[in-house]
Amino acid sequence: MDRRHFLATGALAMASTALPASAALAATGQEGLFQDVNFYSDGLALNPREYAVLLDQATRRAGFIPDNYSRGGAIEALEAKFAARLGKEAAIFLPTGTLANQLAVRKLAGNSPRVLVQAESHLYNDTGDGAQALSGLTLLPLAPGQASFTLDDAKAWAARTAGGRVESRIGVLSIESPVRRQQHRFFEFDQLVQLCNWAREEGIRRHLDGARLFNLPQHTGRSVKEYAALFDTVYVSVWKHFNGATGAMLAGDASFIEGLYHTRRMFGGALPAAWPSIAFVDQFLDDYEADYAKAWQVADRVIAILEASGQFTARKLGNGTSMFLLKAGGITSMALSERAAKHGVRLPGYPDDVTEFPLQVNTSLLRKTPEAVAQALLDP
């Protein structure tokens, strides 16, 4: 075995324990891999070489079995794991979160095609009218400019629907939390309970767009199972926090998930080989909540150092999750990004007229000490 191969395989073994291992991987001299901290992504923002290293490691594990058209093997194992973590009976892999939301709401609605949604939700804004064009659903948007809406808001739309000249009814209540278009703010849990209890009494089915669900326990003290229990179905992104190439998990009762792979195929979502998208996701899933909590400890220390310097001020958001706002004095956004990049800290790109810019906290922060991250922004 040559030296380079020895270093690679040693690094791969350490990478199997997720983030702390990724930091250890950098120490092996793996040509600068797994070292950057980013403030723009939900996850590690793996580059192609880093992804290939982890993919190779995953496929070397004993018992690894590829799927066949998104069924069986590694896909089936990951479906079972997500279902258990969410407290649901079953789950199905889908290639995108857009399709996961579509298939969930489509099946839940049945013959009642009206769907209550947030005006700021992904389902309403980012699917190109897919719910209407592909599934004949009518989306009813509530509370523009806000992350949450109230029970009274929902009841008002229900009354308006029931009072129409043509009989119609609301079939689904679909909630996104955290809400990307509201800087990842969360939907108030007590309001969720009220809404879901009302919907249940009214015979309205319930779907949770929980793409970033696994961040909520850190900020609300509520477990992912507590959130999922309120809803008939829940979707979680496979790539946002867990670093897969793409994909989503849709979980619910076994009777709901059973046979849904036929609809997945109808929509063109039965990937012939889905395993490259998810092969090492389970390793990041195992420790994600603990690692995300540690990442915020790092972020809080970074903020403290930056503010103590007198050059920066930071602000956290009400009902916020993974994002905070940073204001820099005496330096443009572009210049700050270039300064930080020299030290392996990647900032999102903002025009220079943006004086307070959002930064995302993710588990890449565990790759460096808080002092090193802060110094990357402070160095002239």
Side-chain angles (χ1 to χ4, degrees), residues 39 182-183 185 296 303 306-307 312-318 321-328 350 354-361:
F39 278 104
Q182 288 297 294
Q183 296 181 309
R185 288 180 171 92
W296 258 108
I303 290 170
L306 293 177
E307 291 193 319
F312 294 87
T313 56
R315 178 167 62 92
K316 293 183 180 179
L317 302 165
T321 57
S322 61
M323 191 168 283
F324 68 95
L325 303 177
L326 187 70
K327 188 172 185 178
Y350 288 103
V354 176
T355 58
E356 187 181 48
F357 42 91
L359 299 183
Q360 281 213 82
V361 174

Side-chain angles (χ1 to χ4, degrees), residues 20-71:
S22 294
L25 179 57
T28 67
Q30 243 331 71
E31 299 181 14
L33 300 183
F34 303 101
Q35 294 186 26
D36 284 356
V37 166
N38 81 80
F39 278 104
Y40 58 82
S41 173
D42 291 297
L44 297 181
L46 298 169
N47 66 41
R49 289 185 61 212
E50 290 169 341
Y51 196 94
V53 167
L54 295 179
L55 189 62
D56 179 66
Q57 186 271 335
T59 57
R60 291 171 184 262
R61 283 186 294 176
F64 177 83
I65 302 173
D67 62 285
N68 181 38
Y69 280 92
S70 304
R71 301 191 72 193

